[in-house]
Amino acid sequence: MAPPNESKPTPKLAAANAAKGGPASSPAPCLFSLQDGELSVGGGNKAALLTGVPGNVTLTPFAEAFDPAASDAPRELAEQAAANARRGAFLGFTLPAPASRAPYRVGRLAGPRRFLSVFRFKTWWSTAWAGRRGRDLQMETQWVLLEVPELAGAGAGYVLVLPLVQGGFRSAIFPGDDDGVVICAESGSEAVTGTDFRRIAYVHAGDDPYKLMQEAYLAARVHLGTFRLIQEKALPAMADRFGWCTWDAFYLTVDPAGVWQGVSEFADAGLPPRFLIIDDGWQSVNRDGDPPHEDAPGLVLGGDQMTARLYRFDECARFRGYREGALIRRPPELFYDKSMPKAVVRKAAEIESTWKARKKAAQGGATDLSGFDVRITQLRRELDQLLVQRDAVLARLCDDGGAGAGAGEVGLKAFLKDMRRRFPGLDDVYVWQALCGGWGGVRPGATPLDARVVPARPSPGLAGTMDDLAVDRIIEGGIGLVRPDQADDLYESMHSYLAGAGVTGVKVDVVHTLEYVCGEHGGRVELARAYYDGLSRSVAKNFAGTGIIASMQQCNDFFFLGTRQVAMGRAGDDFWFEDPNGDPMGVYWLQGAHMVNCAYNSLWMGQFIRPDWDMFQSDHACAAFHAASRAICGGPVYVSDSLGGHDFELLRRLVFPDGTVPRCLHYALPTRDCMFKNPLFDQETVLKIWNLNKFGGVIGAFNCQGAGWDPLEHRVRGYSHCYKPVSGEVRPADVEWSQREDTSAMANAGSYAVYRCQTEELLLMTPHSEPIQFTLQPSSFELFTFAPVATISGAAKVRFAPIGLVDLLNCGGAIVDVEYGSGGEVRMKVKGAGRLLVYSDVKPRRSLVDGCEAEFEWGNGGKLMVDVTWKQEKDGVSDVAFCY
């Protein structure tokens, strides 16, 4: 018998082959081996990954553990996993005695060797981290991608180490002493213990880091059977549409008239939102000390509500009193003061700032704090007066205005019915919820469900994460947890009501509170299964199976257990328009940190969901910086503008007049030359992300330098000395053409036309040309659109490349179709309005737009440009022809 830490041949895949009529040959040897205390990768030549591996660490080839016949995965996926079986193995360990939390040192990272990782810097959020040694690892690491350049081209140029879920345990990677690598398996409950963790992590090798991620998560999918990959699920319709989220406009004071006013501002500007997210503040919540059947008074800023619990499953009084037709007959512009929400928020912010100053003074030893108390009392009085004024205005919506008394719908259903009458293009309305109902769960005794307040206890692994107000408040108040066997009833109670009111989806937030309250409920895996399964069933029943966005969910147990139905989720932390801790430069540097989080998290989250890069504000100082990333991110585009606070010209570069967006085919990912770099504070790296359109590719270059994680202070902070210009270079090979079958042929082009969005230059280059050099100022960007050059046969040979509508940030996304005729003619279908740019080395004889002669401009290095207009009757599509 082979020692437990050596790989050994297996008959499973061979038997599966024979069952299908194929040869019963043994699978190819696994690329990984564990011998003499060293974990290595490679066939003939080997590279050491871990040294000093203890004897009870195990390596099990994927081929040995995987039985295709037993997998619930579609046959095609199971076969793909089997085809790559030799590239993967399970890494684990055994213990001599049962434990509920088992941090085990599996070896010393051999090296130095460059790695990229993603770790949790807060309970809810993850970020990227690069290093070279084991000591560089951070706590709660979700995965590690190792660079193995000595085996590049031999099938093992990169290795992914992926912590998994096994039984009642989930795992993460931690740093150990002397460059050690620790895999920590934990159940979250002292009652759930184990000794056998031989499948607690997975390792996979390959030469393409993007395909490596796909293959590794495919292996996890067919092995675990607890989630579905993104290719197995349909995207929600909102992925291709423009939307507005109410959060930054109102915070917790959101109301019907304000929502109506906001949507009308976009629609009146010719940018109709096709989806609306009514964020936190619409629910019926109160705190334990409040009257049990009334909304908590005075909630304004995020944080105020974090100890509040749901006391009923429908909308709060501000929405509940709405009468059908109220805003149809008397729209907000006739009576609503759109400056009121901002005035309320500013007054609440004054109170918060004064409280912080009081706390700081007390910590500094001040004994007389009466001045602060007087000021806070006065500010609270002023805030209450503002809220009274607001409520008096909203009370008018509870009166039917003297028309149709006693008839029609009321509440949220009435409001959404009227919204769709006024804004017929509004396809989707999502509302916010916490995973457990409200931030503080469900109030015990307030609903038919059995809820009790459970004290919140963070896992020991979160001890090194960043201080977080949300965590502090949740620990303060605990969670009103509905019994796990009633999780289905919780979601059905909420979602069936919402669906009946016209809501089409939910944004589910505060996901990882479950791990705080799992001790008495079978551990974090068991509790998560109950809640995630209930949520999945409810979404499938009430919201067409796709109406959900996951948020505050960036931990591996959610992705492994909770994504059977979820097809869209947040890839970064929250958009912050300023630093909540008071750094004035945070207005700028926080934006780059957000962008980097989204880009690198998409490497793994994109295997489960379509990454959502979150909202932004179109009038923010870095709005164009954000807009450029959203234009090519491949996810939804939505903003959180305050009332009256819009840059419509910028938004027109993102959105078509019908409220749809020119979405890229893929999801944006970092380019290979950024993979093991630090684009936040190494003073030299530009963040470059790539994506694909139907007839070309795009590279976004962003100067994100100036902020990032501080491993000593355990927080994200500014690095002011890094906030300076940086230079970079770009080439056609930066676009990963082969990541999609329908774009892979573009990798073989002999030359490319390249358009620079900011400088409006059109360049020609080959795969062997010197790269394009550029320099970016802090918080600035450039977008490079690459279009393969085709040769058209006819009276004269013409070199031609379609660029797109250059008034759009993702100009190539406007091209619907291109056909090259044998008679020297190019026909294109283009969606949108503005300037259509193509490269042509020959001046065409004529240009036609929708069959009519059209003037064009040609020259300047092959720039050929013609104007197109929006064709409403053709869904905005123009037929363009160039004749040579």
Side-chain angles (χ1 to χ4, degrees):
M1 177 180 288
N5 66 342
E6 289 188 0
S7 59
K8 47 192 176 182
T10 170
K12 279 194 176 179
L13 285 179
N17 249 354
K20 293 188 295 183
S25 57
S26 296
C30 182
L31 286 177
F32 293 92
S33 59
L34 180 53
Q35 293 180 322
D36 301 324
E38 183 173 283
L39 174 65
S40 301
V41 64
N45 298 322
K46 294 184 181 294
L49 303 176
L50 295 174
T51 59
V53 178
N56 58 334
V57 170
T58 64
L59 184 76
T60 308
F62 180 76
E64 176 180 332
F66 177 51
D67 182 356
S71 176
D72 76 331
R75 180 174 177 178
E76 180 183 3
L77 294 184
E79 290 175 349
Q80 290 174 15
N84 295 310
R86 69 183 295 263
R87 297 185 176 279
F90 292 99
L91 179 66
F93 56 91
T94 57
L95 296 178
S100 61
R101 188 171 190 270
Y104 196 81
R105 190 181 193 275
V106 295
R108 184 176 188 271
L109 186 63
R113 183 179 297 287
R114 292 202 305 176
F115 71 77
L116 170 68
S117 66
V118 159
F119 73 96
R120 285 206 287 175
F121 69 96
K122 288 187 177 182
T123 296
W124 340 97
W125 306 123
S126 293
T127 190
W129 190 254
R132 291 177 177 269
R133 299 182 183 276
R135 71 193 74 165
D136 298 328
L137 290 165
Q138 300 299 300
M139 72 289 148
E140 275 290 325
T141 290
Q142 312 289 286
W143 52 263
V144 179
L145 180 67
L146 301 167
E147 186 182 41
V148 192
E150 61 267 42
L151 296 181
Y158 303 92
V159 168
L160 182 71
V161 184
L162 180 62
L164 294 175
V165 169
Q166 179 184 339
F169 289 77
R170 59 79 68 167
S171 64
I173 294 172
F174 289 77
D177 295 335
D178 189 27
D179 290 322
V181 177
V182 172
I183 297 177
C184 180
E186 62 178 334
S187 71
S189 171
E190 293 183 3
V192 180
T193 61
T195 59
D196 183 347
F197 301 103
R198 284 177 289 182
R199 306 288 190 275
I200 202 65
Y202 178 72
V203 290
H204 198 91
D207 276 333
D208 181 328
Y210 308 103
K211 291 184 177 176
L212 165 63
M213 298 293 280
Q214 294 170 17
E215 292 175 1
Y217 283 96
L218 170 60
R221 188 266 180 266
V222 299
H223 165 66
L224 293 173
T226 55
F227 66 93
R228 291 192 298 163
L229 297 167
I230 184 61
Q231 60 264 38
E232 299 179 74
K233 295 174 282 192
L235 289 181
M238 62 175 289
D240 295 298
R241 296 166 185 172
F242 169 64
W244 178 53
C245 176
T246 63
W247 179 243
D248 286 313
F250 306 100
Y251 295 112
L252 302 172
T253 69
V254 61
D255 66 77
V259 174
W260 189 291
Q261 175 66 28
V263 173
S264 67
E265 288 178 5
F266 290 105
D268 292 346
L271 292 163
R274 299 289 293 273
F275 71 88
L276 166 69
I277 300 175
I278 302 177
D279 214 301
D280 197 0
W282 71 272
Q283 291 178 308
S284 296
V285 299
N286 56 32
R287 293 161 294 214
D288 292 344
D290 294 329
H293 304 297
E294 297 178 16
D295 294 338
L299 299 182
V300 178
L301 298 181
D304 295 347
Q305 85 288 28
M306 291 176 180
T307 56
R309 316 188 201 282
L310 281 185
Y311 72 93
R312 52 192 289 170
F313 296 130
D314 60 358
E315 63 273 23
C316 67
R318 290 192 303 278
F319 284 87
R320 200 183 310 136
Y322 182 84
R323 294 293 184 267
E324 182 179 344
L327 288 171
I328 295 288
R329 290 186 295 273
R330 194 160 179 261
E333 55 263 28
L334 298 180
F335 69 92
Y336 189 77
D337 180 1
K338 65 182 183 182
S339 67
M340 177 62 78
K342 190 167 284 189
V344 169
V345 167
R346 285 173 175 164
K347 189 62 64 177
E350 280 189 79
I351 296 172
E352 182 178 76
S353 176
T354 307
W355 268 113
K356 287 180 178 178
R358 184 188 189 281
K359 181 179 178 181
K360 186 175 181 180
Q363 290 173 340
T367 56
D368 184 5
L369 303 174
S370 59
F372 292 105
D373 295 334
V374 169
R375 177 64 175 156
I376 290 169
T377 300
Q378 175 61 29
L379 290 171
R380 171 56 67 180
R381 187 179 300 116
E382 294 171 3
L383 175 61
D384 289 343
Q385 290 171 352
L386 286 172
L387 293 174
V388 167
Q389 294 175 37
R390 180 208 60 185
D391 291 344
V393 171
L394 296 179
R396 302 175 188 176
L397 303 181
C398 300
D399 180 1
D400 66 6
E409 304 285 355
V410 295
L412 184 63
K413 184 174 184 177
F415 173 62
L416 296 184
K417 183 177 179 180
D418 283 354
M419 284 282 289
R420 289 190 167 100
R421 287 171 61 191
R422 170 63 177 85
F423 308 105
L426 185 60
D427 302 304
D428 284 297
V429 177
Y430 283 37
V431 297
W432 181 96
Q433 69 162 87
L435 182 71
C436 293
W439 277 88
V442 175
R443 185 166 180 165
T447 75
L449 300 180
D450 183 8
R452 67 180 183 89
V453 176
V454 179
R457 298 187 178 91
S459 160
L462 294 172
T465 54
M466 186 173 173
D467 286 345
D468 187 354
L469 171 65
V471 171
D472 294 343
R473 299 305 303 276
I474 289 169
I475 291 174
E476 173 190 336
I479 298 295
L481 188 71
V482 171
R483 214 172 61 213
D485 63 354
Q486 291 185 340
D488 284 67
D489 299 326
L490 169 65
Y491 295 122
E492 176 62 18
S493 298
M494 297 172 66
H495 296 166
S496 62
Y497 173 80
L498 290 171
V503 171
T504 57
V506 283
K507 172 186 173 183
V508 180
D509 226 334
V510 207
V511 166
H512 285 294
T513 45
L514 289 181
E515 67 184 85
Y516 285 27
V517 292
C518 63
E520 304 302 318
H521 295 284
R524 60 190 294 169
V525 172
E526 192 66 25
L527 181 60
R529 283 184 197 272
Y531 268 75
Y532 296 153
D533 287 353
L535 178 63
S536 294
R537 283 188 284 268
S538 181
V539 169
K541 176 183 175 183
N542 295 298
F543 300 131
T546 61
I548 183 170
I549 303 172
S551 180
M552 298 178 73
Q553 85 298 359
Q554 294 171 6
C555 179
N556 56 3
D557 43 357
F558 167 78
F559 286 95
F560 288 137
L561 300 171
T563 55
R564 185 172 293 278
Q565 205 67 43
V566 178
M568 183 171 290
R570 287 273 302 281
D573 55 337
D574 288 331
F575 162 77
W576 287 95
F577 65 89
E578 62 183 7
D579 180 17
N581 297 313
D583 184 341
M585 286 301 291
V587 170
Y588 301 98
W589 62 252
L590 273 169
Q591 317 317 320
H594 177 93
M595 204 169 293
V596 167
N597 290 348
C598 290
Y600 287 86
N601 275 329
S602 293
L603 283 163
W604 68 297
M605 295 181 190
Q607 313 304 324
F608 304 86
I609 58 174
R610 179 54 61 106
D612 167 13
W613 285 44
D614 198 18
M615 58 207 176
F616 69 101
Q617 292 174 320
S618 71
D619 65 344
H620 188 268
C622 296
F625 190 60
H626 277 285
S629 70
R630 303 310 192 277
I632 64 170
C633 73
V637 175
Y638 58 114
V639 293
S640 188
D641 291 355
S642 298
L643 301 184
H646 317 288
D647 184 341
F648 291 126
E649 288 306 309
L650 177 64
L651 292 176
R652 289 188 182 97
R653 303 192 70 189
L654 284 168
V655 184
F656 290 128
D658 64 354
T660 61
V661 297
R663 184 168 63 87
C664 289
L665 299 176
H666 204 266
Y667 50 93
L669 293 172
T671 56
R672 294 193 192 212
D673 55 353
C674 289
M675 196 73 78
F676 300 96
K677 302 287 187 65
N678 177 3
L680 283 174
F681 54 94
D682 69 0
Q683 304 185 63
E684 62 181 26
T685 302
V686 174
L687 171 67
K688 293 193 303 182
I689 56 177
W690 62 267
N691 212 328
L692 300 162
N693 288 310
K694 193 173 180 180
F695 296 97
V698 60
I699 297 290
F702 301 87
N703 183 350
C704 299
Q705 294 282 330
W709 178 252
D710 186 322
L712 299 178
E713 297 184 14
H714 295 279
R715 68 185 182 98
V716 176
R717 67 171 181 88
Y719 288 83
S720 57
H721 63 286
C722 301
Y723 195 72
K724 63 182 184 180
V726 288
S727 299
E729 58 185 35
V730 68
R731 53 179 59 82
D734 288 337
V735 180
E736 295 288 335
W737 308 99
S738 64
Q739 298 304 317
R740 281 180 62 100
E741 188 175 338
D742 54 355
T743 61
S744 59
M746 289 191 277
N748 303 320
S751 58
Y752 299 84
V754 187
Y755 178 72
R756 296 184 61 165
C757 168
Q758 295 289 73
T759 65
E760 298 191 351
E761 295 175 89
L762 183 64
L763 309 170
L764 198 66
M765 64 188 309
T766 73
H768 308 293
S769 298
E770 289 297 313
I772 299 171
Q773 307 289 330
F774 61 88
T775 298
L776 296 176
Q777 296 300 312
S779 302
S780 67
F781 72 94
E782 181 62 281
L783 299 179
F784 299 86
T785 294
F786 290 81
V789 176
T791 300
I792 309 166
S793 299
K797 286 194 174 180
V798 179
R799 302 180 73 207
F800 184 97
I803 300 297
L805 290 182
V806 293
D807 295 321
L808 294 171
L809 288 166
N810 180 26
C811 58
I815 302 175
V816 177
D817 196 21
V818 181
E819 292 183 0
Y820 298 104
S822 58
E825 182 179 85
V826 181
R827 293 187 177 276
M828 301 177 63
K829 290 185 181 294
V830 182
K831 182 173 181 177
R835 299 172 296 161
L836 171 62
L837 173 65
V838 303
Y839 167 78
S840 175
D841 68 343
V842 174
K843 181 179 180 180
R845 291 185 296 106
R846 60 197 296 226
S847 171
L848 302 173
V849 176
D850 292 318
C852 300
E853 292 278 351
E855 293 185 2
F856 62 87
E857 297 177 12
W858 178 83
N860 214 13
K863 266 190 175 182
L864 174 58
M865 196 171 293
V866 66
D867 289 339
V868 297
T869 57
W870 180 261
K871 305 295 191 304
Q872 187 65 40
E873 68 279 7
K874 297 173 61 180
D875 295 325
V877 175
S878 297
D879 292 291
V880 180
F882 297 105
C883 306
Y884 293 91

